[in-house]
Amino acid sequence: MSSPVIVASDLVKQYDEVTAVGGISFEVAPGESFGLLGPNGAGKSTTMRMIGAVSTRTSGRLEILGLDPDAYGPEIRSQLGVVPQSDNLDEELRVRENLIVYGRYFGLPAAHVRSKADDLLAFAQLEDKAKAKVTDLSGGMKRRLTIARGLMNDPRILLLDEPTTGLDPQARHILWDRLFRLKEEGTTLVLTSHYMDEAEQLCDRLVVVDKGVIMAEGTPASLIREYSTREVLELRFGADHNASMAERLKNVGDRVEALPDRVLIYTADGEAELAALTDADIRPLTSLVRRSSLEDVFLRLTGRSLIE
Amino acid sequence: MTGTGVETRQPASVRRRPIGSLYAGNARAVMYRGWRATKSTNWLVVVSGVFEPVFYLLSLGIGLGSFVGTVTAGDGRDISYAAFIAPALLATAAMNGAVYDSTWNVFFKIRFARLYEGMLATSLGPLDVAVGEISLALLRGGAYAVAFLIVMQAVGLNLSWWALLALPAVLLVALAFASFGMGITSYMKSFQQMDIINFIMLPMFLLSATFYPLSVYPPGVQVVIQALPLWQSVELVRSLTTGAVTVGILWHVLYLAVMATLGMILTTRRLRRLFLD
Ligand SMILES: Nc1ncnc2c1ncn2[C@@H]1O[C@H](COP(=O)(O)OP(=O)(O)OP(=O)(O)O)[C@@H](O)[C@H]1O
Ligand SMILES: [Mg+2]
């Protein structure tokens, strides 16, 4: 295996008394798609900013493309594409100009930057918006433009901080499709998310982060295998009864989890479990059998759900 | 001939940059951005900066000047009141142009537009951003000054060939104010704090021996006025346009050069602190 493009070990970021990142270690291989998954305030963005060489670590070791960001900030940034959590497009410039000017920040030649901008407008499906004002774009279009901008310098690593948060399902799927293509072309992707389905779609491997530390690491499938069961039976008894029913059912299945709005029963076979409950005359208001997801992994690891 | 297919271009990663992580030698990309963005600027504000000193010159220099008569220049000659205040208005025009771009515009970019955050995520360093933005402000201050210098020439207020050197002098004035202005602005957190800049600029304009000689002040006050950057600028420019040149003007040059350097250092450090912490 070729040497990793990112090596972090015991990475810490301290803001006065807040420990945003409390000693995390991971490696990312070239061409890999790596995810940081965690709830609000987990330290995802802070980690991304350190990888992006725009935030100095408090302690620990960090190497991006074999270089220490403390000493080689500009060199590292010249080979990264960055999509920050909230768009910071240049609103005084038009859509195509945003790409061109951004390319110039990397010191790339004018002719190259122009043709690259046109390629990326096509990639982001924004050709007909080339002359539009940035403020006139929809949220999804802005996001695609930000991604296109991040690709102007043909980066070796693309950092995406919550690429699809706030977008409607259709816009998300368009974006996932674009990211998939990049992945196929061999771009290393590092992304954060608090959407399970997104992580399962896009990540080869991920870490679950909570309160600045890594709770688990693996492929989406292996995490589900390790920390959850194959299926989940979701039962709703009404807000007042969920807790007491969870207590009654605590020996059903492999594990029972009580949430305010429902009871989750972890089991290899959800239908069989439901049939057994029906036989025992336990009748929830609604029931649902589904496959385990990373959401369940997270719940298991932290006792909290990912999106509150 | 830039194909979009296979790129073997090596980013300038092997070569160490001159000042390490602060400077990528690409300030012109920041200036290029500023130039592309001028399309959306408020041209009325820009153009008014050209006419403002001309109006002052007409109303005060010609109008009030007819009552005042002559003023004694630095070398003892009597010069017209218009020729006395014109260089002060010239220095002020350079200052205003530079300060407008480097304070309000920069404040907006730092606090609201997050422009620099985007720039500093690329291979640009904080010094590139500082140099680029300050150069833009300098250009604007310089443009105002050149326009006014031409007006002065046209109405015969440049009394000496030394006036040619007034051009580099006002560029230095613009540089000093742009650089210092941006440095100060990077510490500002609110509009209220930004208003302090206006609060300082107007009295400085009125008091810096702009409309009357320094000798009208009592000695104690004179020292304070002499410490003001605009007074230094006015004296420098006035010596040149009136031809009352002595070696002493090099002190003004030094003052302004130090101010420019300090501003640059302040800005770079602060941008680094704000966006590359
Ligand atoms: N510049 C800063 N100064 C002080 N504290 C900060 C700063 N940036 C982040 N923090 C703190 O560090 C912690 C982690 O923040 P971070 O933005 O990395 O979380 P996140 O995982 O990206 O969350 P979200 O999902 O909400 O984006 C939070 O407690 C936050 O308040
Ligand atoms: Mg975040």
Side-chain angles (χ1 to χ4, degrees), chain A residues 41-119:
Chain A
K44 304 181 297 291
S45 297
T46 308
T47 306
M48 293 294 258
R49 285 169 41 77
M50 286 191 282
I51 299 173
V54 292
S55 175
T56 319
R57 63 187 183 273
T58 309
S59 67
R61 192 166 73 96
L62 183 61
E63 266 180 32
I64 317 296
L65 300 164
L67 300 171
D68 179 348
D70 280 355
Y72 295 90
E75 288 83 353
I76 291 171
R77 293 196 298 270
S78 74
Q79 304 184 61
L80 299 181
V82 179
V83 178
Q85 182 167 353
S86 60
D87 293 316
N88 58 3
L89 293 162
D90 194 332
E91 293 185 350
E92 288 182 275
L93 302 176
R94 305 274 162 159
V95 168
R96 184 168 178 269
E97 281 179 326
N98 255 277
L99 299 180
I100 289 175
V101 165
Y102 201 76
R104 298 297 293 268
Y105 293 160
F106 289 97
L108 300 170
H112 169 78
V113 159
R114 277 197 298 273
S115 74
K116 188 79 198 171
D118 291 331
D119 290 353

Side-chain angles (χ1 to χ4, degrees), chain A residues 226-259:
Chain A
E226 188 170 346
Y227 294 98
S228 190
T229 51
R230 208 172 73 87
E231 292 187 342
V232 188
L233 173 58
E234 292 199 4
L235 305 171
R236 288 169 200 264
F237 296 96
D240 298 337
H241 305 292
N242 285 329
S244 59
M245 287 309 290
E247 184 57 30
R248 244 183 88 185
L249 298 172
K250 68 172 187 282
N251 294 321
V252 182
D254 289 11
R255 195 164 60 86
V256 175
E257 199 78 57
L259 299 180

Side-chain angles (χ1 to χ4, degrees), chain A residues 159-181:
Chain A
L159 304 175
L160 301 136
D161 197 351
E162 300 194 16
T164 66
T165 298
L167 301 187
D168 64 35
Q170 197 201 348
R172 292 177 75 198
H173 278 99
I174 298 178
L175 238 146
W176 285 351
D177 172 66
R178 301 291 114 170
L179 295 178
F180 235 89
R181 284 199 207 181

Side-chain angles (χ1 to χ4, degrees), chain B residues 66-122:
Chain B
S66 61
F67 292 97
V68 177
T70 60
V71 182
T72 310
D75 56 0
R77 275 179 301 138
D78 280 347
I79 58 173
S80 76
Y81 184 63
F84 178 79
I85 67 164
L89 294 170
L90 176 61
T92 306
M95 170 181 87
N96 282 337
V99 165
Y100 184 84
D101 256 4
S102 69
T103 59
W104 282 102
N105 285 350
V106 165
F107 178 72
F108 178 76
K109 288 175 194 165
I110 289 181
R111 294 291 155 197
F112 302 103
R114 296 165 65 218
L115 177 70
Y116 300 143
E117 181 195 282
M119 287 182 171
L120 291 171
T122 71

Side-chain angles (χ1 to χ4, degrees), chain B residues 154-204:
Chain B
V155 280
L157 295 176
N158 286 326
L159 307 180
S160 147
W161 280 104
W162 283 105
L164 280 177
L165 282 182
L167 182 59
V170 286
L171 288 179
L172 177 64
V173 170
L175 175 67
F177 278 99
S179 173
F180 204 71
M182 188 167 176
I184 299 285
T185 299
S186 61
Y187 284 88
M188 301 284 176
K189 293 206 168 64
S190 65
F191 283 103
Q192 283 81 355
Q193 291 179 341
M194 285 301 290
D195 281 330
I196 297 175
I197 292 178
N198 289 3
F199 188 74
I200 293 172
M201 296 268 291
L202 186 66
M204 188 158 76

Side-chain angles (χ1 to χ4, degrees), chain B residues 238-253:
Chain B
R238 187 175 279 149
S239 312
L240 294 168
T241 61
T242 59
V245 177
T246 63
V247 192
I249 67 166
L250 289 178
W251 284 111
H252 304 314
V253 172

